[in-house]
Amino acid sequence: MTCDEAEVLLHALIDGELDASHIRDVENHLAGCPRCAAALRDYRNMSKMMAEGDVRYTAPAALRQRIEAALPQLKASPDRRAVLRGFAMGSAVSALAATGLVAIVLRQDDMERIQAEVVSAHLRSLQAGHLTDVVSTDRHTVKPWFNGKLDVAPPVVDLTAQGFTLIGGRLDYVDARPIGAIVYKRRSHVINLFVAQTVSTEHHAAKTDALQGFNIRRWSERGLNYWAISDIARDELAEFGEKFEAAMRTGSAG
Amino acid sequence: MPRKKSEDPEKALRFREAALPFLDDTYTLARYLLRDAADAEDAVQECYLRAFKHFDRYRGPAMKPWLFAILRNVCRAEYARRAGTPTSAIEDAPECAEQAPLWHEDQETPETQILRKKDSDTLRQLVAALAEPFRQTFVLREIQNLSYREIADVTEVPVGTVMSRLARARAMLRFAWIAEEEQRK
């Protein structure tokens, strides 16, 4: 082996990229060539000192933030999460947030996205064994079950007399946040009522949309956002919503 | 199209978990390629945006070399921009540099001299002073620990070229290392 060949191959030796037969060839050459042996020694030393020295750079925090801000979900997530953030958030913070958030919170695409997640959560709940975490027709059992699982337990209303049977409650996730779901039945149809806290205390009258074969009725009242979803007919879901709101007004929530 | 919208955040989350751990690596490479902190930041940001755009089609190789290949393309545009300005000299190496012999008589080094340790600023300067394309090959191997095959893929040259560039880069660094010691005497 010539020095020219060895000069290239000894790097592969240093880097562990050389096969056994070439390792022997290079080592044979090095044994008889002080110049190449000295080069190998220096290169090894350089590699070692490079590895020990601090030759890397750390990305500035501002760069990391700019990149995260440019990614779709991550840019808006603090705002969107505020849609579902609990009352537990300090009043000063929520007051501050509310001033800037109301418009964002109710933006149409956000609403659409959350509604899509509500549909997904509803579909998940319909799979065997996923409907309820707590099974009870007694609102005094369902409501306390949420304590400690959510910042504030959602209101639970017994609408059995109005034809909507309370069957239990469930902890679900929408918009990457835990959310309370109260489960009712109308004949054999399941109604999931998702309740999430919001920084806005504005009242928003009910609106009903159809999405993937389900009706979703949403409204806001006293700092809570409600989504009622079911495959029952639109007017039946409206009846459910109206009965629920009426019960809330008369203070029969537990 | 609610469905598509609900997929985007999920894609962003997966991308974040897969790509952001290599932010320092990518930034380090950008610093050595561009030798300018502000340009490196811009290039890395552009690199990550492009990577996110193409993330749907990403099937490997490893994430790090994939990001590096994108960064290299971003930097190429930056090189072109600089080439348009009269003061720049990005492609240091003339065309014939890669074919030049590794050894020069006037660069003969004593076989008994042991290289001294250097502080990190000096090390960074020595690496930054290497001419392209030897610098990127050296950084990919010595600082980023890529295999020859990965370096070949990132820099779009055969493995043989990677080997000769690396040999040349280390030889140049070795002489610069010794020259720096001579200067201090």
Side-chain angles (χ1 to χ4, degrees), chain B residues 57-117:
Chain B
R57 276 171 285 158
Y58 167 71
R59 298 281 181 280
M63 178 52 73
K64 193 157 93 164
W66 186 67
L67 286 170
F68 286 176
I70 295 171
L71 179 72
R72 208 176 143 268
N73 282 327
V74 173
C75 289
R76 235 193 246 146
E78 174 62 18
Y79 289 167
R81 189 188 68 78
R82 287 185 189 180
T85 62
T87 53
S88 72
I90 292 300
E91 293 293 348
D92 299 320
E95 285 293 310
C96 58
E98 289 201 53
Q99 277 75 50
L102 290 168
W103 300 103
H104 300 284
E105 289 309 312
D106 58 340
Q107 287 177 319
E108 200 62 72
T109 57
E111 286 150 21
T112 50
Q113 187 177 345
I114 303 290
L115 297 181
R116 293 222 182 88
K117 213 174 162 125

Side-chain angles (χ1 to χ4, degrees), chain B:
Chain B
M1 301 288 279
R3 182 168 176 79
K4 186 151 180 58
K5 267 172 194 151
S6 66
E7 277 171 3
D8 251 2
E10 194 213 327
K11 177 186 166 190
L13 193 69
R14 279 188 294 118
F15 177 74
R16 192 180 185 280
E17 284 171 358
L20 276 184
F22 299 109
L23 185 59
D24 285 345
D25 290 323
T26 309
Y27 180 70
T28 296
L29 180 60
R31 284 293 296 263
Y32 282 113
L33 288 182
L34 296 171
R35 297 191 288 205
D36 179 274
D39 286 351
E41 276 198 49
D42 290 347
V44 170
Q45 184 172 5
E46 175 63 21
C47 165
Y48 268 78
L49 293 188
R50 282 192 204 177
F52 179 66
K53 209 167 120 191
H54 299 296
F55 189 52
D56 286 333
R57 276 171 285 158
Y58 167 71
R59 298 281 181 280
M63 178 52 73
K64 193 157 93 164
W66 186 67
L67 286 170
F68 286 176
I70 295 171
L71 179 72
R72 208 176 143 268
N73 282 327
V74 173
C75 289
R76 235 193 246 146
E78 174 62 18
Y79 289 167
R81 189 188 68 78
R82 287 185 189 180
T85 62
T87 53
S88 72
I90 292 300
E91 293 293 348
D92 299 320
E95 285 293 310
C96 58
E98 289 201 53
Q99 277 75 50
L102 290 168
W103 300 103
H104 300 284
E105 289 309 312
D106 58 340
Q107 287 177 319
E108 200 62 72
T109 57
E111 286 150 21
T112 50
Q113 187 177 345
I114 303 290
L115 297 181
R116 293 222 182 88
K117 213 174 162 125
K118 298 188 189 299
D119 62 61
S120 56
D121 278 348
T122 310
L123 286 176
R124 287 178 186 192
Q125 280 162 19
L126 285 173
V127 176
L130 291 174
E132 284 294 11
F134 312 109
R135 192 189 335 135
Q136 58 175 305
T137 309
F138 180 84
V139 170
L140 289 172
R141 172 61 226 154
E142 207 75 277
I143 301 178
Q144 306 285 6
N145 287 317
L146 261 53
S147 71
Y148 286 5
R149 180 73 255 163
E150 287 173 323
I151 298 170
D153 290 343
V154 169
T155 56
E156 295 171 294
V157 294
V159 170
T161 306
V162 171
M163 290 171 74
S164 62
R165 283 179 180 179
L166 186 61
R168 183 147 192 83
R170 281 187 176 141
M172 291 193 292
L173 185 69
R174 183 180 177 219
F175 292 124
W177 198 294
I178 292 161
E180 203 266 346
E181 263 156 38
E182 297 293 323
Q183 259 178 20
R184 288 186 180 218
K185 278 177 188 166

